[in-house]
Amino acid sequence: MSIQKLKITHVRNLKSIILEPSASINLFSGHNGSGKTSLLEAIYFLGLTRSFRTNKMLSFISESHQNCSVYGKIVHNSNIMDLGVSRTINNKQKIKIEGVTRQSVAELAHYLPIQLIHPDSFTCLQAAPSIRRKILDWGVFYHHPQFGVIWKMMYLSLKHRNALLRSKRYTQIELDTWTKTFLESATQIHILRMQYIAQLIPEFKHIIYSETKLQSIDITYYPGWNDITDLRHVLASNQSKDMALGYTTAGPQRADLKITYQGRLASDILSRGQQKILVCALKVAQGKLFEKTHKQRCVFLVDDLPAELDPEHCEQFINMINPLFSQFWLTAINTEQLQPFFSKKTIKMFHVEHGAINN
Ligand SMILES: Nc1ncnc2c1ncn2[C@@H]1O[C@H](COP(=O)(O)OP(=O)(O)OP(=O)(O)O)[C@@H](O)[C@H]1O
Ligand SMILES: [Mg+2]
């Protein structure tokens, strides 16, 4: 998938933008406050109906305007499709796919798979496991079409199980019923995650070892319980602990990716720049695996690439993405220094100034 035409109306300082990007590399330069991040935020909104930098969608809509909208003509399986998302200051949201109103964000995400790398990406190694779970599940969602439905079932049964545990007023039969539903979906999620990670790790290692100086990097998948024992037994033996705490302490809702460098936690010893390039390699590996599996491109949004990266590390990143077919939207205050690193010919350069974009 790639965006062929983009129309943005009233997103932050972007009042009215129409762009025809390259299907390959797009570079956006501009001063602080010109609107570079807002542009990527608008594309993210088109794929996921939310912002990556705020939960307060009111601040996403241009000041003194009642609504915002992003429309994209995208290429999907060689077909041209229309996607549109709009939002009002009263929180009314509309998703349109091929002109028809839809409710499902998952459907939108299916047509526009977005990988985001932002200036704080290096923090994801130190962040809570949920951040690394999101990275993992991005891949599992696209790799296994059934994942979204199973994931919803797992969270629904977990919610019911936790509500029972919290209430402390339930029969063993009631708890067993929700435990059984939870266990079924949790086991399937674990299997799908394991299958995905088994394919992702070799891609990731290949990229990181061939393009960076970081060697002896390892990723271990932690399923959310000690998997020497199966989850059924863990849930049974944790029952009194779960009752006392009022929630389920084991399961895929606690999964994590443990990333080590020379046997120690990467977040404990790598510099911020080294952590960022590692996270970049992981996301590029996901993009590459996506391309292999679907014979399709995904859309990479890379905000302020040089943040935390020196020119050598920027070059390493560009060497990582050069073999990919995906569509890249890269921003930096100055993109001219990045241009020579690209081997691809189809680069489009844009300049962002006071909310206007020119090429
Ligand atoms: N709701 C809004 N309405 C109008 N303008 C806004 C709104 N929210 C933010 N802005 C302004 O939009 C401008 C663009 O911000 P943006 O973060 O996109 O800049 P940027 O080019 O990424 O800058 P930097 O290089 O510092 O990251 C800023 O001047 C900001 O103050
Ligand atoms: Mg910015």
Short mmCIF file of all heavy atoms in Angstrom, two decimals, residues 264-322:
data_model
loop_
_atom_site.label_atom_id
_atom_site.label_comp_id
_atom_site.label_asym_id
_atom_site.label_seq_id
_atom_site.Cartn_x
_atom_site.Cartn_y
_atom_site.Cartn_z
N ARG A 264 23.37 -8.37 28.26
CA ARG A 264 22.75 -7.48 29.26
C ARG A 264 21.62 -6.69 28.62
O ARG A 264 21.62 -6.48 27.40
CB ARG A 264 23.82 -6.52 29.82
CG ARG A 264 24.87 -7.29 30.62
CD ARG A 264 26.11 -6.49 30.82
NE ARG A 264 25.91 -5.34 31.69
CZ ARG A 264 26.81 -4.38 31.87
NH1 ARG A 264 27.97 -4.44 31.24
NH2 ARG A 264 26.56 -3.37 32.67
N LEU A 265 20.69 -6.22 29.42
CA LEU A 265 19.55 -5.48 28.88
C LEU A 265 20.03 -4.29 28.05
O LEU A 265 20.78 -3.44 28.56
CB LEU A 265 18.67 -4.96 30.02
CG LEU A 265 17.47 -5.81 30.44
CD1 LEU A 265 16.64 -5.06 31.46
CD2 LEU A 265 16.62 -6.24 29.25
N ALA A 266 19.61 -4.20 26.81
CA ALA A 266 20.07 -3.13 25.91
C ALA A 266 19.76 -1.75 26.50
O ALA A 266 20.56 -0.81 26.37
CB ALA A 266 19.42 -3.29 24.55
N SER A 267 18.63 -1.63 27.19
CA SER A 267 18.25 -0.32 27.74
C SER A 267 19.20 0.11 28.86
O SER A 267 19.31 1.29 29.16
CB SER A 267 16.83 -0.38 28.29
OG SER A 267 16.73 -1.41 29.23
N ASP A 268 19.92 -0.86 29.47
CA ASP A 268 20.84 -0.52 30.57
C ASP A 268 22.20 -0.04 30.06
O ASP A 268 22.89 0.67 30.77
CB ASP A 268 21.08 -1.74 31.48
CG ASP A 268 19.87 -2.02 32.35
OD1 ASP A 268 18.99 -1.14 32.43
OD2 ASP A 268 19.80 -3.13 32.93
N ILE A 269 22.59 -0.47 28.87
CA ILE A 269 23.96 -0.13 28.47
C ILE A 269 24.11 0.62 27.14
O ILE A 269 25.14 1.26 26.93
CB ILE A 269 24.90 -1.37 28.45
CG1 ILE A 269 24.23 -2.56 27.76
CG2 ILE A 269 25.37 -1.73 29.83
CD1 ILE A 269 25.21 -3.70 27.59
N LEU A 270 23.11 0.59 26.29
CA LEU A 270 23.29 1.29 25.01
C LEU A 270 22.98 2.78 25.15
O LEU A 270 22.12 3.17 25.95
CB LEU A 270 22.40 0.68 23.93
CG LEU A 270 22.73 -0.75 23.49
CD1 LEU A 270 21.78 -1.19 22.37
CD2 LEU A 270 24.17 -0.88 23.03
N SER A 271 23.65 3.60 24.34
CA SER A 271 23.38 5.05 24.35
C SER A 271 22.03 5.29 23.69
O SER A 271 21.45 4.39 23.06
CB SER A 271 24.47 5.78 23.57
OG SER A 271 24.28 5.58 22.19
N ARG A 272 21.55 6.54 23.81
CA ARG A 272 20.24 6.85 23.22
C ARG A 272 20.25 6.63 21.71
O ARG A 272 19.32 6.06 21.14
CB ARG A 272 19.86 8.29 23.54
CG ARG A 272 19.40 8.47 24.96
CD ARG A 272 19.77 9.83 25.51
NE ARG A 272 19.05 10.91 24.90
CZ ARG A 272 18.16 11.68 25.56
NH1 ARG A 272 17.91 11.45 26.82
NH2 ARG A 272 17.56 12.66 24.95
N GLY A 273 21.31 7.08 21.05
CA GLY A 273 21.42 6.92 19.60
C GLY A 273 21.47 5.45 19.21
O GLY A 273 20.82 5.02 18.25
N GLN A 274 22.24 4.66 20.00
CA GLN A 274 22.33 3.22 19.71
C GLN A 274 20.98 2.55 19.93
O GLN A 274 20.58 1.67 19.17
CB GLN A 274 23.40 2.57 20.62
CG GLN A 274 24.82 2.92 20.23
CD GLN A 274 25.82 2.44 21.28
OE1 GLN A 274 25.56 2.48 22.49
NE2 GLN A 274 26.97 1.99 20.82
N GLN A 275 20.26 3.00 20.96
CA GLN A 275 18.93 2.43 21.22
C GLN A 275 17.98 2.78 20.08
O GLN A 275 17.17 1.98 19.65
CB GLN A 275 18.37 2.94 22.54
CG GLN A 275 19.10 2.35 23.74
CD GLN A 275 18.46 2.71 25.07
OE1 GLN A 275 17.25 2.69 25.21
NE2 GLN A 275 19.28 3.02 26.05
N LYS A 276 18.12 4.04 19.57
CA LYS A 276 17.21 4.43 18.48
C LYS A 276 17.49 3.60 17.23
O LYS A 276 16.54 3.14 16.57
CB LYS A 276 17.35 5.94 18.19
CG LYS A 276 16.46 6.37 17.04
CD LYS A 276 16.26 7.85 16.94
CE LYS A 276 15.56 8.23 15.65
NZ LYS A 276 15.33 9.67 15.52
N ILE A 277 18.77 3.39 16.91
CA ILE A 277 19.07 2.65 15.67
C ILE A 277 18.60 1.19 15.82
O ILE A 277 18.14 0.56 14.85
CB ILE A 277 20.57 2.75 15.27
CG1 ILE A 277 20.76 2.52 13.77
CG2 ILE A 277 21.50 1.85 16.06
CD1 ILE A 277 20.34 3.63 12.89
N LEU A 278 18.67 0.67 17.04
CA LEU A 278 18.19 -0.70 17.30
C LEU A 278 16.66 -0.78 17.07
O LEU A 278 16.17 -1.69 16.39
CB LEU A 278 18.53 -1.06 18.74
CG LEU A 278 18.42 -2.51 19.17
CD1 LEU A 278 19.35 -2.77 20.35
CD2 LEU A 278 17.02 -2.88 19.58
N VAL A 279 15.95 0.21 17.60
CA VAL A 279 14.48 0.23 17.42
C VAL A 279 14.15 0.40 15.93
O VAL A 279 13.24 -0.23 15.40
CB VAL A 279 13.83 1.33 18.29
CG1 VAL A 279 12.35 1.45 17.99
CG2 VAL A 279 14.06 1.05 19.77
N CYS A 280 14.93 1.28 15.26
CA CYS A 280 14.72 1.46 13.80
C CYS A 280 14.90 0.13 13.08
O CYS A 280 14.09 -0.22 12.22
CB CYS A 280 15.74 2.47 13.23
SG CYS A 280 15.41 4.17 13.71
N ALA A 281 15.96 -0.61 13.44
CA ALA A 281 16.23 -1.90 12.77
C ALA A 281 15.06 -2.86 13.00
O ALA A 281 14.67 -3.61 12.09
CB ALA A 281 17.52 -2.51 13.29
N LEU A 282 14.49 -2.82 14.19
CA LEU A 282 13.36 -3.71 14.50
C LEU A 282 12.15 -3.36 13.62
O LEU A 282 11.51 -4.24 13.04
CB LEU A 282 13.02 -3.57 15.99
CG LEU A 282 11.96 -4.49 16.55
CD1 LEU A 282 12.35 -5.95 16.36
CD2 LEU A 282 11.74 -4.21 18.04
N LYS A 283 11.90 -2.06 13.49
CA LYS A 283 10.73 -1.65 12.70
C LYS A 283 10.96 -1.87 11.20
O LYS A 283 10.04 -2.24 10.47
CB LYS A 283 10.39 -0.19 13.00
CG LYS A 283 9.96 -0.03 14.46
CD LYS A 283 9.10 1.17 14.67
CE LYS A 283 8.45 1.11 16.05
NZ LYS A 283 7.40 2.08 16.23
N VAL A 284 12.20 -1.65 10.76
CA VAL A 284 12.50 -1.90 9.35
C VAL A 284 12.36 -3.40 9.07
O VAL A 284 11.82 -3.80 8.02
CB VAL A 284 13.91 -1.38 8.97
CG1 VAL A 284 14.32 -1.82 7.57
CG2 VAL A 284 13.96 0.15 9.09
N ALA A 285 12.81 -4.23 10.02
CA ALA A 285 12.67 -5.70 9.86
C ALA A 285 11.18 -6.06 9.75
O ALA A 285 10.81 -6.91 8.94
CB ALA A 285 13.31 -6.42 11.04
N GLN A 286 10.34 -5.40 10.53
CA GLN A 286 8.90 -5.67 10.45
C GLN A 286 8.36 -5.28 9.08
O GLN A 286 7.53 -5.99 8.50
CB GLN A 286 8.15 -4.90 11.53
CG GLN A 286 8.42 -5.44 12.92
CD GLN A 286 7.45 -4.84 13.94
OE1 GLN A 286 7.49 -3.64 14.21
NE2 GLN A 286 6.62 -5.66 14.52
N GLY A 287 8.84 -4.13 8.58
CA GLY A 287 8.41 -3.66 7.26
C GLY A 287 8.83 -4.64 6.17
O GLY A 287 8.08 -4.94 5.24
N LYS A 288 10.07 -5.17 6.31
CA LYS A 288 10.59 -6.10 5.31
C LYS A 288 9.80 -7.40 5.32
O LYS A 288 9.43 -7.93 4.27
CB LYS A 288 12.07 -6.36 5.63
CG LYS A 288 12.86 -6.79 4.44
CD LYS A 288 14.32 -6.70 4.70
CE LYS A 288 15.07 -7.41 3.61
NZ LYS A 288 16.45 -7.68 3.98
N LEU A 289 9.50 -7.88 6.52
CA LEU A 289 8.72 -9.10 6.65
C LEU A 289 7.31 -8.89 6.09
O LEU A 289 6.75 -9.77 5.43
CB LEU A 289 8.65 -9.50 8.14
CG LEU A 289 8.12 -10.88 8.48
CD1 LEU A 289 8.84 -11.97 7.71
CD2 LEU A 289 8.26 -11.13 10.00
N PHE A 290 6.76 -7.70 6.33
CA PHE A 290 5.43 -7.36 5.79
C PHE A 290 5.47 -7.44 4.26
O PHE A 290 4.59 -8.02 3.63
CB PHE A 290 5.04 -5.96 6.25
CG PHE A 290 3.71 -5.49 5.71
CD1 PHE A 290 2.54 -5.73 6.42
CD2 PHE A 290 3.62 -4.84 4.49
CE1 PHE A 290 1.30 -5.33 5.92
CE2 PHE A 290 2.39 -4.43 3.98
CZ PHE A 290 1.23 -4.67 4.70
N GLU A 291 6.52 -6.83 3.68
CA GLU A 291 6.65 -6.83 2.20
C GLU A 291 6.73 -8.26 1.68
O GLU A 291 6.09 -8.61 0.68
CB GLU A 291 7.91 -6.08 1.78
CG GLU A 291 7.78 -4.58 1.89
CD GLU A 291 9.03 -3.86 1.40
OE1 GLU A 291 9.96 -4.51 0.86
OE2 GLU A 291 9.09 -2.62 1.56
N LYS A 292 7.53 -9.10 2.35
CA LYS A 292 7.71 -10.49 1.91
C LYS A 292 6.40 -11.26 1.98
O LYS A 292 6.07 -12.02 1.08
CB LYS A 292 8.71 -11.20 2.85
CG LYS A 292 10.15 -11.08 2.43
CD LYS A 292 10.93 -12.06 3.26
CE LYS A 292 12.42 -11.88 3.07
NZ LYS A 292 13.19 -12.67 4.04
N THR A 293 5.66 -11.06 3.08
CA THR A 293 4.44 -11.83 3.30
C THR A 293 3.32 -11.39 2.39
O THR A 293 2.58 -12.20 1.85
CB THR A 293 3.97 -11.67 4.77
OG1 THR A 293 5.11 -11.72 5.60
CG2 THR A 293 3.00 -12.75 5.18
N HIS A 294 3.16 -10.06 2.25
CA HIS A 294 1.98 -9.55 1.54
C HIS A 294 2.26 -9.12 0.11
O HIS A 294 1.33 -8.78 -0.61
CB HIS A 294 1.40 -8.34 2.29
CG HIS A 294 0.92 -8.68 3.65
ND1 HIS A 294 -0.34 -9.17 3.88
CD2 HIS A 294 1.52 -8.63 4.86
CE1 HIS A 294 -0.50 -9.39 5.18
NE2 HIS A 294 0.62 -9.07 5.79
N LYS A 295 3.55 -9.08 -0.26
CA LYS A 295 3.92 -8.52 -1.57
C LYS A 295 3.30 -7.13 -1.73
O LYS A 295 2.71 -6.80 -2.76
CB LYS A 295 3.47 -9.43 -2.73
CG LYS A 295 3.88 -10.88 -2.58
CD LYS A 295 5.33 -11.10 -3.00
CE LYS A 295 5.82 -12.51 -2.80
NZ LYS A 295 6.31 -12.86 -1.48
N GLN A 296 3.37 -6.36 -0.68
CA GLN A 296 2.79 -5.02 -0.61
C GLN A 296 3.77 -4.11 0.12
O GLN A 296 4.58 -4.58 0.92
CB GLN A 296 1.51 -5.04 0.23
CG GLN A 296 0.35 -5.76 -0.39
CD GLN A 296 -0.49 -4.85 -1.26
OE1 GLN A 296 -0.25 -3.65 -1.34
NE2 GLN A 296 -1.46 -5.40 -1.93
N ARG A 297 3.59 -2.82 -0.07
CA ARG A 297 4.41 -1.86 0.68
C ARG A 297 3.68 -1.49 1.97
O ARG A 297 2.46 -1.53 2.02
CB ARG A 297 4.54 -0.54 -0.08
CG ARG A 297 5.04 -0.65 -1.49
CD ARG A 297 4.61 0.62 -2.24
NE ARG A 297 4.88 0.51 -3.66
CZ ARG A 297 5.97 0.98 -4.25
NH1 ARG A 297 6.90 1.60 -3.57
NH2 ARG A 297 6.14 0.85 -5.55
N CYS A 298 4.42 -1.07 3.00
CA CYS A 298 3.73 -0.36 4.08
C CYS A 298 4.23 1.09 4.09
O CYS A 298 5.12 1.45 3.31
CB CYS A 298 3.81 -1.06 5.41
SG CYS A 298 5.41 -1.35 6.08
N VAL A 299 3.62 1.90 4.90
CA VAL A 299 3.94 3.32 4.91
C VAL A 299 4.73 3.65 6.18
O VAL A 299 4.24 3.44 7.29
CB VAL A 299 2.62 4.15 4.86
CG1 VAL A 299 2.92 5.63 5.03
CG2 VAL A 299 1.89 3.89 3.55
N PHE A 300 5.96 4.09 5.99
CA PHE A 300 6.81 4.45 7.12
C PHE A 300 6.77 5.95 7.36
O PHE A 300 7.03 6.73 6.43
CB PHE A 300 8.26 4.06 6.84
CG PHE A 300 8.62 2.66 7.24
CD1 PHE A 300 8.31 1.59 6.41
CD2 PHE A 300 9.26 2.39 8.44
CE1 PHE A 300 8.63 0.29 6.77
CE2 PHE A 300 9.59 1.10 8.81
CZ PHE A 300 9.28 0.04 7.97
N LEU A 301 6.44 6.36 8.57
CA LEU A 301 6.51 7.76 8.94
C LEU A 301 7.72 7.91 9.85
O LEU A 301 7.76 7.31 10.93
CB LEU A 301 5.24 8.18 9.68
CG LEU A 301 3.91 7.86 9.00
CD1 LEU A 301 2.74 8.30 9.88
CD2 LEU A 301 3.83 8.55 7.63
N VAL A 302 8.70 8.69 9.43
CA VAL A 302 9.92 8.85 10.24
C VAL A 302 10.08 10.33 10.56
O VAL A 302 10.45 11.12 9.70
CB VAL A 302 11.16 8.31 9.47
CG1 VAL A 302 12.38 8.32 10.39
CG2 VAL A 302 10.91 6.91 8.93
N ASP A 303 9.77 10.66 11.80
CA ASP A 303 9.78 12.07 12.17
C ASP A 303 11.13 12.45 12.75
O ASP A 303 11.62 11.82 13.68
CB ASP A 303 8.67 12.34 13.19
CG ASP A 303 8.44 13.84 13.38
OD1 ASP A 303 8.77 14.61 12.45
OD2 ASP A 303 7.94 14.24 14.44
N ASP A 304 11.71 13.50 12.19
CA ASP A 304 12.98 14.05 12.67
C ASP A 304 14.05 12.96 12.80
O ASP A 304 14.57 12.69 13.87
CB ASP A 304 12.75 14.74 14.04
CG ASP A 304 13.82 15.79 14.29
OD1 ASP A 304 14.76 15.90 13.47
OD2 ASP A 304 13.73 16.49 15.31
N LEU A 305 14.35 12.32 11.66
CA LEU A 305 15.31 11.22 11.66
C LEU A 305 16.61 11.57 12.39
O LEU A 305 17.10 10.80 13.20
CB LEU A 305 15.61 10.76 10.21
CG LEU A 305 16.69 9.69 10.11
CD1 LEU A 305 16.25 8.39 10.77
CD2 LEU A 305 17.10 9.45 8.67
N PRO A 306 17.22 12.77 12.14
CA PRO A 306 18.52 13.03 12.78
C PRO A 306 18.47 13.22 14.30
O PRO A 306 19.52 13.27 14.93
CB PRO A 306 19.01 14.32 12.10
CG PRO A 306 18.20 14.44 10.85
CD PRO A 306 16.89 13.84 11.18
N ALA A 307 17.26 13.32 14.89
CA ALA A 307 17.20 13.46 16.35
C ALA A 307 17.86 12.24 16.98
O ALA A 307 17.48 11.10 16.68
CB ALA A 307 15.75 13.59 16.81
N GLU A 308 18.84 12.46 17.81
CA GLU A 308 19.63 11.43 18.52
C GLU A 308 20.62 10.66 17.62
O GLU A 308 21.40 9.88 18.12
CB GLU A 308 18.75 10.37 19.23
CG GLU A 308 17.72 10.91 20.19
CD GLU A 308 18.32 11.59 21.41
OE1 GLU A 308 19.51 11.36 21.71
OE2 GLU A 308 17.60 12.38 22.04
N LEU A 309 20.55 10.89 16.29
CA LEU A 309 21.45 10.13 15.39
C LEU A 309 22.47 11.06 14.74
O LEU A 309 22.10 12.10 14.19
CB LEU A 309 20.66 9.42 14.29
CG LEU A 309 19.63 8.37 14.69
CD1 LEU A 309 19.02 7.72 13.45
CD2 LEU A 309 20.24 7.29 15.60
N ASP A 310 23.74 10.66 14.79
CA ASP A 310 24.77 11.44 14.08
C ASP A 310 24.71 11.05 12.59
O ASP A 310 24.00 10.10 12.21
CB ASP A 310 26.15 11.20 14.71
CG ASP A 310 26.57 9.74 14.68
OD1 ASP A 310 26.03 8.99 13.85
OD2 ASP A 310 27.43 9.35 15.48
N PRO A 311 25.47 11.75 11.71
CA PRO A 311 25.37 11.43 10.27
C PRO A 311 25.67 9.97 9.96
O PRO A 311 25.02 9.37 9.09
CB PRO A 311 26.41 12.36 9.64
CG PRO A 311 26.50 13.52 10.58
CD PRO A 311 26.29 12.95 11.96
N GLU A 312 26.61 9.36 10.71
CA GLU A 312 26.93 7.95 10.44
C GLU A 312 25.73 7.05 10.73
O GLU A 312 25.41 6.13 9.95
CB GLU A 312 28.12 7.53 11.32
CG GLU A 312 28.66 6.16 10.98
CD GLU A 312 29.63 5.61 12.02
OE1 GLU A 312 30.15 6.42 12.84
OE2 GLU A 312 29.85 4.40 12.02
N HIS A 313 25.02 7.35 11.83
CA HIS A 313 23.85 6.53 12.17
C HIS A 313 22.67 6.81 11.25
O HIS A 313 21.88 5.91 10.95
CB HIS A 313 23.48 6.70 13.64
CG HIS A 313 24.39 5.93 14.56
ND1 HIS A 313 25.63 6.41 14.94
CD2 HIS A 313 24.26 4.70 15.11
CE1 HIS A 313 26.21 5.50 15.70
NE2 HIS A 313 25.40 4.46 15.83
N CYS A 314 22.57 8.09 10.77
CA CYS A 314 21.52 8.39 9.77
C CYS A 314 21.79 7.57 8.52
O CYS A 314 20.86 6.99 7.92
CB CYS A 314 21.52 9.88 9.40
SG CYS A 314 20.82 10.92 10.67
N GLU A 315 23.05 7.49 8.14
CA GLU A 315 23.40 6.72 6.94
C GLU A 315 23.08 5.24 7.15
O GLU A 315 22.56 4.57 6.25
CB GLU A 315 24.89 6.91 6.60
CG GLU A 315 25.26 6.22 5.30
CD GLU A 315 26.70 6.44 4.87
OE1 GLU A 315 27.46 7.14 5.58
OE2 GLU A 315 27.06 5.89 3.80
N GLN A 316 23.36 4.74 8.36
CA GLN A 316 23.05 3.33 8.65
C GLN A 316 21.55 3.08 8.48
O GLN A 316 21.14 2.08 7.89
CB GLN A 316 23.44 2.99 10.10
CG GLN A 316 24.93 2.88 10.31
CD GLN A 316 25.31 2.61 11.77
OE1 GLN A 316 24.45 2.47 12.63
NE2 GLN A 316 26.60 2.56 12.03
N PHE A 317 20.75 4.04 8.96
CA PHE A 317 19.29 3.87 8.84
C PHE A 317 18.89 3.84 7.36
O PHE A 317 18.11 3.00 6.93
CB PHE A 317 18.54 4.98 9.59
CG PHE A 317 17.06 4.92 9.38
CD1 PHE A 317 16.30 3.94 10.02
CD2 PHE A 317 16.41 5.78 8.51
CE1 PHE A 317 14.92 3.84 9.82
CE2 PHE A 317 15.03 5.70 8.30
CZ PHE A 317 14.29 4.72 8.95
N ILE A 318 19.45 4.77 6.61
CA ILE A 318 19.07 4.85 5.18
C ILE A 318 19.53 3.59 4.43
O ILE A 318 18.81 3.07 3.58
CB ILE A 318 19.57 6.17 4.56
CG1 ILE A 318 18.81 7.32 5.22
CG2 ILE A 318 19.38 6.19 3.04
CD1 ILE A 318 19.35 8.69 4.99
N ASN A 319 20.70 3.05 4.81
CA ASN A 319 21.14 1.79 4.21
C ASN A 319 20.17 0.65 4.54
O ASN A 319 19.97 -0.25 3.74
CB ASN A 319 22.55 1.42 4.69
CG ASN A 319 23.59 2.34 4.07
OD1 ASN A 319 23.33 2.98 3.04
ND2 ASN A 319 24.74 2.45 4.70
N MET A 320 19.59 0.72 5.74
CA MET A 320 18.61 -0.32 6.12
C MET A 320 17.38 -0.25 5.23
O MET A 320 16.82 -1.28 4.85
CB MET A 320 18.10 -0.09 7.56
CG MET A 320 19.04 -0.44 8.65
SD MET A 320 18.22 -0.02 10.23
CE MET A 320 19.65 -0.05 11.30
N ILE A 321 16.94 0.99 4.92
CA ILE A 321 15.65 1.11 4.20
C ILE A 321 15.82 1.07 2.68
O ILE A 321 14.86 0.85 1.97
CB ILE A 321 14.85 2.36 4.64
CG1 ILE A 321 15.51 3.66 4.20
CG2 ILE A 321 14.59 2.35 6.12
CD1 ILE A 321 14.62 4.90 4.40
N ASN A 322 17.06 1.27 2.20
CA ASN A 322 17.27 1.29 0.74
C ASN A 322 16.73 0.05 0.03
O ASN A 322 16.13 0.17 -1.04
CB ASN A 322 18.75 1.50 0.42
CG ASN A 322 19.06 2.98 0.22
OD1 ASN A 322 18.20 3.77 -0.20
ND2 ASN A 322 20.29 3.39 0.54
#
